[in-house]
Amino acid sequence: MLNITDDKSQLKHLIEKKAQHPYLLKFIQKPSLDEDKLLLLWGLFNDVDVKSEKRDQYITSTMLVQIALDTHEIVSNSGEGLDLPDVLKNRQLQVLAGDYYSGLYYQVLATVGNVEMIRILSSAIKKINDNKIILYQQGSIKDVQSLLTTIKAIEASLIHKLAAYYQQPDWSDVSEDFLLLSRLHTEKGRYLTTGQSIIFDILRDMPSGCSAGQDELAPQKEEQVRISFEKCLEGARKSLERSMEKLVKVDDDLKDRVMVLMEQTASIANSYVKEG
């Protein structure tokens, strides 16, 4: 098997260096790099006929898009003190930072001269934003499958569009299943630590078919939500197992990361059975 640790570390350093801006870093946190998506992009581009220099530029561009999306995502439109000067300035800088990172991806691809790649990533950005609207618009998602499809679109559209362009459907499937499972674990963590999770909120709002009174319904409904969520986790795990079996080449880092997610899912499932 391939081991990409050294090359991946160099590419990660290149992306982080590209995203640095001294003025922005005085006021907002350093942009975080989604290493799971970096792993998947590396795997995809090492399965297609692309020269290493262009490969690095394409991966860098895609990760800059992801950083831009993540930076815009943390801009809050609710909470206390939004009109305070310091808070307002921070929010404005977060928006500008996201725009700045978006501009960087155009710059990198313009250097390569690949207009088609700009079109592909722009299409992915649109799909991601459209699905974020669906996710956060109350009542727009009526069933579990639609919820999972929406999450996949948000998390995996960048890689999905690239995989489709390079005719690599197996990488598209792995990316969707892997990133769905990862997002479900993130939401589970939020639910357990803060009681807040957009996915749990949506599951809670879905019709239950229960005719009990409101006071009796609350604990029963929450139990149904938990069970439904655990089924989503287990279904995503099984789907990822099937997807991974289709890949001919799997580097050690990605295989190890998938194993961690699998074990984490099994651990949660076992603890849930004991609680029940």
Side-chain angles (χ1 to χ4, degrees):
M1 292 296 175
L2 302 172
N3 192 306
I4 65 170
T5 302
D6 292 339
D7 286 341
K8 182 175 67 70
S9 296
Q10 292 175 11
L11 185 56
K12 178 184 174 183
H13 177 71
L14 173 67
I15 297 167
E16 290 177 336
K17 184 177 180 180
K18 190 75 177 175
Q20 284 182 356
H21 190 288
Y23 178 77
L24 289 174
L25 293 179
K26 288 181 181 179
F27 301 98
I28 64 174
Q29 64 188 40
K30 179 183 176 181
S32 61
L33 192 67
D34 192 322
E35 295 195 37
D36 286 344
K37 289 173 183 172
L38 179 57
L39 271 176
L40 291 165
L41 285 167
W42 186 276
L44 167 63
F45 276 102
N46 277 280
D47 256 5
V48 298
D49 186 20
V50 176
K51 292 182 180 179
S52 60
E53 182 182 355
K54 286 192 174 181
R55 174 203 64 195
D56 290 354
Q57 290 169 319
Y58 295 159
I59 294 176
T60 298
S61 299
T62 307
M63 291 308 302
L64 286 171
V65 171
Q66 187 62 57
I67 289 172
L69 290 166
D70 292 342
T71 302
H72 280 147
E73 183 75 14
I74 62 177
V75 178
S76 175
N77 289 316
S78 60
E80 297 181 1
L82 289 179
D83 55 345
L84 295 175
D86 287 347
V87 176
L88 182 60
K89 181 176 182 178
N90 181 269
R91 292 175 67 247
Q92 290 173 334
L93 285 173
Q94 288 284 5
V95 173
L96 289 172
D99 294 342
Y100 171 70
Y101 301 137
S102 292
L104 286 178
Y105 109 79
Y106 280 109
Q107 182 189 56
V108 173
L109 290 180
T111 302
V112 185
N114 194 324
V115 176
E116 183 66 12
M117 191 65 68
I118 294 175
R119 185 192 66 78
I120 292 167
L121 294 180
S122 296
S123 174
I125 293 169
K126 182 182 184 303
K127 186 174 181 180
I128 290 168
N129 288 331
D130 287 346
N131 279 274
K132 282 183 179 180
I133 292 171
I134 293 172
L135 184 69
Y136 289 101
Q137 188 172 25
Q138 189 172 6
S140 61
I141 299 177
K142 306 294 185 182
D143 58 78
V144 173
Q145 188 54 53
S146 296
L147 172 60
L148 298 181
T149 299
T150 300
I151 296 297
K152 282 183 179 181
I154 292 170
E155 296 297 327
S157 282
L158 287 170
I159 303 173
H160 175 83
K161 293 282 188 180
L162 289 168
Y165 176 72
Y166 286 107
Q167 299 181 337
Q168 296 287 329
D170 292 343
W171 276 106
S172 180
D173 291 342
V174 165
S175 297
E176 287 187 340
D177 293 334
F178 178 94
L179 294 172
L180 171 63
L181 186 57
S182 179
R183 175 66 183 267
L184 290 174
H185 278 294
T186 298
E187 294 293 330
K188 177 75 173 187
R190 288 173 182 163
Y191 175 75
L192 292 175
T193 56
T194 69
Q196 302 295 319
S197 161
I198 183 63
I199 292 180
F200 277 82
D201 290 344
I202 292 171
L203 290 172
R204 204 174 286 122
D205 287 342
M206 289 180 185
S208 63
C210 182
S211 58
Q214 194 66 33
D215 292 340
E216 299 176 22
L217 176 61
Q220 184 178 346
K221 178 67 174 179
E222 199 63 20
E223 182 68 9
Q224 289 177 343
V225 167
R226 286 184 59 187
I227 292 172
S228 180
F229 185 87
E230 301 305 327
K231 287 181 178 178
C232 292
L233 263 178
E234 182 59 19
R237 182 190 68 79
K238 290 180 179 178
S239 187
L240 178 56
E241 273 186 333
R242 292 191 295 268
S243 298
M244 287 292 291
E245 290 173 357
K246 298 176 186 177
L247 292 181
V248 177
K249 294 188 296 183
V250 183
D251 62 74
D252 293 337
D253 286 353
L254 178 58
K255 186 168 65 173
D256 291 345
R257 178 67 180 116
V258 168
M259 207 45 129
V260 168
L261 266 183
M262 296 290 193
E263 291 173 355
Q264 190 178 359
T265 308
S267 175
I268 288 176
N270 290 335
S271 67
Y272 184 72
V273 170
K274 291 177 182 178
E275 289 175 14

